[in-house]
Amino acid sequence: DQTVDDSVFTTHESEVRSYCRSWPTVFTRARGSYITDQSGREYLDFFAGAGSLNYGHNNPVLKSALLEYIENDGITHGLDMATVAKGKFLEAFHGKILSPRGLDYKVQFPGPTGTNAVESALKLARKVTGRESIISFTNAFHGMTLGSLSVTGNSMKRAGAGIPLVHATPMPFDNYMGGVVEDFSWFERVLDDSGSGLNRPAAVIVETVQGEGGVNVARAEWLRALEELCRRRDILLIVDDVQMGCGRTGKFFSFEEAGIKPDIVTLSKSISGYGLPFALMLMRPELDVWSPGEHNGTFRGNNPAFVTATKTIEHYWSDDALEKDTYAKGDRIAKVFGDISDRFDGVSHRGRGMVQGLVFEDSTAAGKVCAEAFEAGLLAETSGPSDEVVKLLPPLTISTDDLDRGLTILTESTEKVIG
Ligand code: PMP
């Protein structure tokens, strides 16, 4: 029997569970852009493991590499010992991702998930500079562990730590003040003010597009100005590419379009390609001041993830086909979102590549649209401080037919809710 009674979750699992509330069914299998529940109903998946499945569920190319590895008794867990799988990954990542982009980073495996990469980035920045504070932005999201949480701009999530965390005032993200305040004048002022507590920061941490924060897109010139400020003031620049990296915005790294070169980069989510827990922290080689064992842990260097990650690089990142496809599909989504925004008052849209958001002035509408979409067979989630944005993160490999089908469901769901 391959089914379970869904009461098992409400009875035995913590109240903290979240996505199962948006999608009240029990899932069993998934392939490509579709996920199936135990009643056999198929759903189009426009959430793709919160952006951890850029190449779709059980991608056949990656699956056969993984099956072959396991069939040959490849090492599954290996602490951070040297393994052939890790060596192949390092060769591919350096040779096919970093070198062609003129980037030179050393790679650290900080632990299994995105927040581990952020923790290690924050620790490293403090160790390298000998300074304490980190500057982050309004509506930023960097993870749920204490360090990452302290730079996350969401008070509800910070309150989960039990008491208000000591948290420095975040800087305004691009356009947060709607152009009323010039962000960088404020920024410079705070940095010059010894009373601000932010005048000697170790680092600035930024997402190029805030995913959880509501698909807030930083302009390339804003990112370049941020980089220039960091260089001039000797502050390390950390780009958190956990959600926007691995091709989500088009290019492999989301910061490439702006032409900036961060000192430290975090990656996770889609880096394994197969939805396996895996994270990287990239640092300029001269920043690698760690002492041996200073940031260790049991689950680093996930060997099956090395195998699938290497395969994604070889298969998808040896040319620019996926990048072009992502821009084209992103335009397709933006076009439909543009039509919806034109038709209905109080609706707008924003995004880059294959991360696109439909923004509702009435914040309750976004959740209702997602609920209607679920009834019609589509998974999509909300984001933003008031859950006012329907955020799409479909697999980059989705067919245009499936993309159009999902967009039709979303259009109809929006009509039902606010039409
Ligand atoms: N940084 C960003 C930008 C993220 O979007 C997330 C996850 N949504 C994280 C960090 C944390 O990653 P994880 O959930 O894997 O710990």
Side-chain angles (χ1 to χ4, degrees), residues 126-151:
R126 287 159 55 113
K127 185 174 162 69
V128 166
T129 60
R131 294 176 231 143
E132 209 179 304
S133 64
I134 308 285
I135 286 180
S136 59
F137 293 92
T138 49
N139 290 318
F141 185 86
H142 297 292
M144 284 290 185
T145 51
L146 280 176
S148 306
L149 204 51
S150 67
V151 287

PDB file of all heavy atoms in Angstrom, residues 126-151:
ATOM      1  N   ARG A 126      33.442  38.316   9.227  1.00  0.00           N
ATOM      2  CA  ARG A 126      33.841  38.842  10.543  1.00  0.00           C
ATOM      3  C   ARG A 126      35.271  38.446  10.869  1.00  0.00           C
ATOM      4  O   ARG A 126      36.047  39.244  11.404  1.00  0.00           O
ATOM      5  CB  ARG A 126      32.863  38.342  11.611  1.00  0.00           C
ATOM      6  CG  ARG A 126      31.504  39.024  11.527  1.00  0.00           C
ATOM      7  CD  ARG A 126      30.398  38.237  12.202  1.00  0.00           C
ATOM      8  NE  ARG A 126      30.687  37.910  13.574  1.00  0.00           N
ATOM      9  CZ  ARG A 126      30.021  38.401  14.639  1.00  0.00           C
ATOM     10  NH1 ARG A 126      29.035  39.253  14.446  1.00  0.00           N
ATOM     11  NH2 ARG A 126      30.331  38.032  15.847  1.00  0.00           N
ATOM     12  N   LYS A 127      35.628  37.228  10.518  1.00  0.00           N
ATOM     13  CA  LYS A 127      36.992  36.760  10.806  1.00  0.00           C
ATOM     14  C   LYS A 127      38.022  37.517   9.970  1.00  0.00           C
ATOM     15  O   LYS A 127      39.053  37.954  10.474  1.00  0.00           O
ATOM     16  CB  LYS A 127      37.068  35.250  10.518  1.00  0.00           C
ATOM     17  CG  LYS A 127      38.389  34.601  10.887  1.00  0.00           C
ATOM     18  CD  LYS A 127      38.292  33.086  10.698  1.00  0.00           C
ATOM     19  CE  LYS A 127      39.674  32.436  10.610  1.00  0.00           C
ATOM     20  NZ  LYS A 127      40.437  32.443  11.847  1.00  0.00           N
ATOM     21  N   VAL A 128      37.708  37.704   8.697  1.00  0.00           N
ATOM     22  CA  VAL A 128      38.662  38.373   7.800  1.00  0.00           C
ATOM     23  C   VAL A 128      38.880  39.827   8.215  1.00  0.00           C
ATOM     24  O   VAL A 128      40.014  40.320   8.232  1.00  0.00           O
ATOM     25  CB  VAL A 128      38.152  38.331   6.330  1.00  0.00           C
ATOM     26  CG1 VAL A 128      38.923  39.294   5.440  1.00  0.00           C
ATOM     27  CG2 VAL A 128      38.255  36.920   5.782  1.00  0.00           C
ATOM     28  N   THR A 129      37.778  40.511   8.537  1.00  0.00           N
ATOM     29  CA  THR A 129      37.883  41.958   8.791  1.00  0.00           C
ATOM     30  C   THR A 129      38.134  42.282  10.262  1.00  0.00           C
ATOM     31  O   THR A 129      38.537  43.395  10.587  1.00  0.00           O
ATOM     32  CB  THR A 129      36.567  42.674   8.388  1.00  0.00           C
ATOM     33  OG1 THR A 129      35.506  42.126   9.177  1.00  0.00           O
ATOM     34  CG2 THR A 129      36.252  42.497   6.919  1.00  0.00           C
ATOM     35  N   GLY A 130      37.826  41.337  11.147  1.00  0.00           N
ATOM     36  CA  GLY A 130      37.912  41.634  12.581  1.00  0.00           C
ATOM     37  C   GLY A 130      36.823  42.602  13.016  1.00  0.00           C
ATOM     38  O   GLY A 130      36.883  43.166  14.111  1.00  0.00           O
ATOM     39  N   ARG A 131      35.836  42.800  12.152  1.00  0.00           N
ATOM     40  CA  ARG A 131      34.718  43.673  12.517  1.00  0.00           C
ATOM     41  C   ARG A 131      33.466  42.822  12.758  1.00  0.00           C
ATOM     42  O   ARG A 131      33.435  41.654  12.413  1.00  0.00           O
ATOM     43  CB  ARG A 131      34.458  44.692  11.401  1.00  0.00           C
ATOM     44  CG  ARG A 131      35.593  45.662  11.222  1.00  0.00           C
ATOM     45  CD  ARG A 131      35.315  46.585  10.042  1.00  0.00           C
ATOM     46  NE  ARG A 131      36.458  46.592   9.131  1.00  0.00           N
ATOM     47  CZ  ARG A 131      36.374  46.647   7.811  1.00  0.00           C
ATOM     48  NH1 ARG A 131      35.186  46.692   7.223  1.00  0.00           N
ATOM     49  NH2 ARG A 131      37.455  46.658   7.066  1.00  0.00           N
ATOM     50  N   GLU A 132      32.433  43.479  13.299  1.00  0.00           N
ATOM     51  CA  GLU A 132      31.324  42.703  13.820  1.00  0.00           C
ATOM     52  C   GLU A 132      30.051  42.775  12.978  1.00  0.00           C
ATOM     53  O   GLU A 132      29.448  41.773  12.650  1.00  0.00           O
ATOM     54  CB  GLU A 132      31.021  43.259  15.209  1.00  0.00           C
ATOM     55  CG  GLU A 132      30.444  42.260  16.185  1.00  0.00           C
ATOM     56  CD  GLU A 132      30.216  42.930  17.531  1.00  0.00           C
ATOM     57  OE1 GLU A 132      31.198  43.494  18.086  1.00  0.00           O
ATOM     58  OE2 GLU A 132      29.072  42.927  17.978  1.00  0.00           O
ATOM     59  N   SER A 133      29.639  44.006  12.649  1.00  0.00           N
ATOM     60  CA  SER A 133      28.278  44.144  12.114  1.00  0.00           C
ATOM     61  C   SER A 133      28.198  43.803  10.625  1.00  0.00           C
ATOM     62  O   SER A 133      29.180  43.888   9.878  1.00  0.00           O
ATOM     63  CB  SER A 133      27.741  45.560  12.371  1.00  0.00           C
ATOM     64  OG  SER A 133      28.508  46.494  11.666  1.00  0.00           O
ATOM     65  N   ILE A 134      27.017  43.410  10.234  1.00  0.00           N
ATOM     66  CA  ILE A 134      26.735  43.060   8.836  1.00  0.00           C
ATOM     67  C   ILE A 134      25.558  43.924   8.403  1.00  0.00           C
ATOM     68  O   ILE A 134      24.570  44.040   9.138  1.00  0.00           O
ATOM     69  CB  ILE A 134      26.313  41.576   8.703  1.00  0.00           C
ATOM     70  CG1 ILE A 134      27.310  40.628   9.381  1.00  0.00           C
ATOM     71  CG2 ILE A 134      26.066  41.206   7.230  1.00  0.00           C
ATOM     72  CD1 ILE A 134      28.604  40.387   8.659  1.00  0.00           C
ATOM     73  N   ILE A 135      25.658  44.505   7.233  1.00  0.00           N
ATOM     74  CA  ILE A 135      24.545  45.310   6.724  1.00  0.00           C
ATOM     75  C   ILE A 135      23.700  44.458   5.791  1.00  0.00           C
ATOM     76  O   ILE A 135      24.231  43.776   4.902  1.00  0.00           O
ATOM     77  CB  ILE A 135      25.083  46.562   6.008  1.00  0.00           C
ATOM     78  CG1 ILE A 135      25.582  47.545   7.089  1.00  0.00           C
ATOM     79  CG2 ILE A 135      24.003  47.193   5.125  1.00  0.00           C
ATOM     80  CD1 ILE A 135      26.131  48.825   6.560  1.00  0.00           C
ATOM     81  N   SER A 136      22.383  44.499   6.031  1.00  0.00           N
ATOM     82  CA  SER A 136      21.470  43.784   5.141  1.00  0.00           C
ATOM     83  C   SER A 136      20.341  44.736   4.771  1.00  0.00           C
ATOM     84  O   SER A 136      20.344  45.893   5.189  1.00  0.00           O
ATOM     85  CB  SER A 136      20.943  42.527   5.827  1.00  0.00           C
ATOM     86  OG  SER A 136      20.263  42.881   7.013  1.00  0.00           O
ATOM     87  N   PHE A 137      19.381  44.248   4.017  1.00  0.00           N
ATOM     88  CA  PHE A 137      18.394  45.151   3.419  1.00  0.00           C
ATOM     89  C   PHE A 137      16.969  44.859   3.864  1.00  0.00           C
ATOM     90  O   PHE A 137      16.647  43.753   4.286  1.00  0.00           O
ATOM     91  CB  PHE A 137      18.492  45.097   1.882  1.00  0.00           C
ATOM     92  CG  PHE A 137      19.797  45.665   1.401  1.00  0.00           C
ATOM     93  CD1 PHE A 137      20.897  44.848   1.210  1.00  0.00           C
ATOM     94  CD2 PHE A 137      19.934  47.034   1.224  1.00  0.00           C
ATOM     95  CE1 PHE A 137      22.113  45.385   0.825  1.00  0.00           C
ATOM     96  CE2 PHE A 137      21.152  47.571   0.840  1.00  0.00           C
ATOM     97  CZ  PHE A 137      22.246  46.743   0.638  1.00  0.00           C
ATOM     98  N   THR A 138      16.127  45.876   3.727  1.00  0.00           N
ATOM     99  CA  THR A 138      14.697  45.716   3.964  1.00  0.00           C
ATOM    100  C   THR A 138      14.185  44.522   3.167  1.00  0.00           C
ATOM    101  O   THR A 138      14.553  44.335   2.007  1.00  0.00           O
ATOM    102  CB  THR A 138      13.946  46.983   3.487  1.00  0.00           C
ATOM    103  OG1 THR A 138      14.398  47.311   2.161  1.00  0.00           O
ATOM    104  CG2 THR A 138      14.199  48.173   4.394  1.00  0.00           C
ATOM    105  N   ASN A 139      13.378  43.710   3.813  1.00  0.00           N
ATOM    106  CA  ASN A 139      12.743  42.543   3.178  1.00  0.00           C
ATOM    107  C   ASN A 139      13.708  41.451   2.707  1.00  0.00           C
ATOM    108  O   ASN A 139      13.328  40.569   1.929  1.00  0.00           O
ATOM    109  CB  ASN A 139      11.839  42.950   2.017  1.00  0.00           C
ATOM    110  CG  ASN A 139      10.606  43.673   2.516  1.00  0.00           C
ATOM    111  OD1 ASN A 139      10.026  43.261   3.513  1.00  0.00           O
ATOM    112  ND2 ASN A 139      10.229  44.759   1.874  1.00  0.00           N
ATOM    113  N   ALA A 140      14.958  41.498   3.189  1.00  0.00           N
ATOM    114  CA  ALA A 140      15.906  40.439   2.823  1.00  0.00           C
ATOM    115  C   ALA A 140      15.483  39.112   3.455  1.00  0.00           C
ATOM    116  O   ALA A 140      14.838  39.088   4.500  1.00  0.00           O
ATOM    117  CB  ALA A 140      17.294  40.807   3.329  1.00  0.00           C
ATOM    118  N   PHE A 141      15.846  38.022   2.812  1.00  0.00           N
ATOM    119  CA  PHE A 141      15.708  36.697   3.445  1.00  0.00           C
ATOM    120  C   PHE A 141      17.008  35.931   3.259  1.00  0.00           C
ATOM    121  O   PHE A 141      17.483  35.763   2.137  1.00  0.00           O
ATOM    122  CB  PHE A 141      14.547  35.880   2.847  1.00  0.00           C
ATOM    123  CG  PHE A 141      14.361  34.579   3.585  1.00  0.00           C
ATOM    124  CD1 PHE A 141      13.575  34.528   4.728  1.00  0.00           C
ATOM    125  CD2 PHE A 141      15.025  33.426   3.191  1.00  0.00           C
ATOM    126  CE1 PHE A 141      13.444  33.335   5.452  1.00  0.00           C
ATOM    127  CE2 PHE A 141      14.900  32.238   3.898  1.00  0.00           C
ATOM    128  CZ  PHE A 141      14.102  32.193   5.028  1.00  0.00           C
ATOM    129  N   HIS A 142      17.584  35.460   4.367  1.00  0.00           N
ATOM    130  CA  HIS A 142      18.857  34.747   4.254  1.00  0.00           C
ATOM    131  C   HIS A 142      18.870  33.407   4.975  1.00  0.00           C
ATOM    132  O   HIS A 142      19.906  32.730   4.969  1.00  0.00           O
ATOM    133  CB  HIS A 142      19.998  35.636   4.747  1.00  0.00           C
ATOM    134  CG  HIS A 142      20.162  36.881   3.919  1.00  0.00           C
ATOM    135  ND1 HIS A 142      20.591  36.837   2.606  1.00  0.00           N
ATOM    136  CD2 HIS A 142      19.923  38.185   4.184  1.00  0.00           C
ATOM    137  CE1 HIS A 142      20.623  38.080   2.110  1.00  0.00           C
ATOM    138  NE2 HIS A 142      20.218  38.915   3.043  1.00  0.00           N
ATOM    139  N   GLY A 143      17.781  33.019   5.620  1.00  0.00           N
ATOM    140  CA  GLY A 143      17.753  31.695   6.250  1.00  0.00           C
ATOM    141  C   GLY A 143      17.244  31.752   7.669  1.00  0.00           C
ATOM    142  O   GLY A 143      16.998  32.828   8.229  1.00  0.00           O
ATOM    143  N   MET A 144      17.115  30.574   8.275  1.00  0.00           N
ATOM    144  CA  MET A 144      16.384  30.439   9.546  1.00  0.00           C
ATOM    145  C   MET A 144      17.273  30.152  10.749  1.00  0.00           C
ATOM    146  O   MET A 144      16.760  29.987  11.855  1.00  0.00           O
ATOM    147  CB  MET A 144      15.363  29.312   9.403  1.00  0.00           C
ATOM    148  CG  MET A 144      14.162  29.720   8.592  1.00  0.00           C
ATOM    149  SD  MET A 144      13.190  30.916   9.523  1.00  0.00           S
ATOM    150  CE  MET A 144      11.795  31.102   8.447  1.00  0.00           C
ATOM    151  N   THR A 145      18.574  30.005  10.555  1.00  0.00           N
ATOM    152  CA  THR A 145      19.431  29.815  11.731  1.00  0.00           C
ATOM    153  C   THR A 145      19.772  31.201  12.294  1.00  0.00           C
ATOM    154  O   THR A 145      19.562  32.220  11.626  1.00  0.00           O
ATOM    155  CB  THR A 145      20.696  29.029  11.366  1.00  0.00           C
ATOM    156  OG1 THR A 145      21.312  29.646  10.237  1.00  0.00           O
ATOM    157  CG2 THR A 145      20.355  27.585  11.023  1.00  0.00           C
ATOM    158  N   LEU A 146      20.310  31.240  13.515  1.00  0.00           N
ATOM    159  CA  LEU A 146      20.359  32.527  14.214  1.00  0.00           C
ATOM    160  C   LEU A 146      21.115  33.629  13.480  1.00  0.00           C
ATOM    161  O   LEU A 146      20.668  34.765  13.449  1.00  0.00           O
ATOM    162  CB  LEU A 146      20.928  32.333  15.619  1.00  0.00           C
ATOM    163  CG  LEU A 146      19.911  31.797  16.642  1.00  0.00           C
ATOM    164  CD1 LEU A 146      20.595  31.554  17.987  1.00  0.00           C
ATOM    165  CD2 LEU A 146      18.745  32.749  16.819  1.00  0.00           C
ATOM    166  N   GLY A 147      22.272  33.281  12.894  1.00  0.00           N
ATOM    167  CA  GLY A 147      23.044  34.310  12.186  1.00  0.00           C
ATOM    168  C   GLY A 147      22.292  34.794  10.957  1.00  0.00           C
ATOM    169  O   GLY A 147      22.124  35.998  10.735  1.00  0.00           O
ATOM    170  N   SER A 148      21.827  33.851  10.159  1.00  0.00           N
ATOM    171  CA  SER A 148      21.100  34.198   8.927  1.00  0.00           C
ATOM    172  C   SER A 148      19.829  34.970   9.262  1.00  0.00           C
ATOM    173  O   SER A 148      19.452  35.914   8.563  1.00  0.00           O
ATOM    174  CB  SER A 148      20.711  32.940   8.158  1.00  0.00           C
ATOM    175  OG  SER A 148      21.827  32.135   7.919  1.00  0.00           O
ATOM    176  N   LEU A 149      19.182  34.557  10.339  1.00  0.00           N
ATOM    177  CA  LEU A 149      17.950  35.212  10.765  1.00  0.00           C
ATOM    178  C   LEU A 149      18.209  36.662  11.175  1.00  0.00           C
ATOM    179  O   LEU A 149      17.378  37.542  10.936  1.00  0.00           O
ATOM    180  CB  LEU A 149      17.382  34.426  11.948  1.00  0.00           C
ATOM    181  CG  LEU A 149      15.901  34.489  12.256  1.00  0.00           C
ATOM    182  CD1 LEU A 149      15.051  34.188  11.029  1.00  0.00           C
ATOM    183  CD2 LEU A 149      15.579  33.507  13.376  1.00  0.00           C
ATOM    184  N   SER A 150      19.366  36.888  11.756  1.00  0.00           N
ATOM    185  CA  SER A 150      19.635  38.245  12.235  1.00  0.00           C
ATOM    186  C   SER A 150      19.851  39.220  11.078  1.00  0.00           C
ATOM    187  O   SER A 150      19.754  40.427  11.271  1.00  0.00           O
ATOM    188  CB  SER A 150      20.830  38.256  13.193  1.00  0.00           C
ATOM    189  OG  SER A 150      21.985  37.944  12.496  1.00  0.00           O
ATOM    190  N   VAL A 151      20.099  38.720   9.868  1.00  0.00           N
ATOM    191  CA  VAL A 151      20.185  39.615   8.706  1.00  0.00           C
ATOM    192  C   VAL A 151      18.952  39.475   7.801  1.00  0.00           C
ATOM    193  O   VAL A 151      18.929  39.969   6.675  1.00  0.00           O
ATOM    194  CB  VAL A 151      21.490  39.397   7.887  1.00  0.00           C
ATOM    195  CG1 VAL A 151      22.674  39.961   8.636  1.00  0.00           C
ATOM    196  CG2 VAL A 151      21.708  37.935   7.533  1.00  0.00           C
TER     197      VAL A 151
END
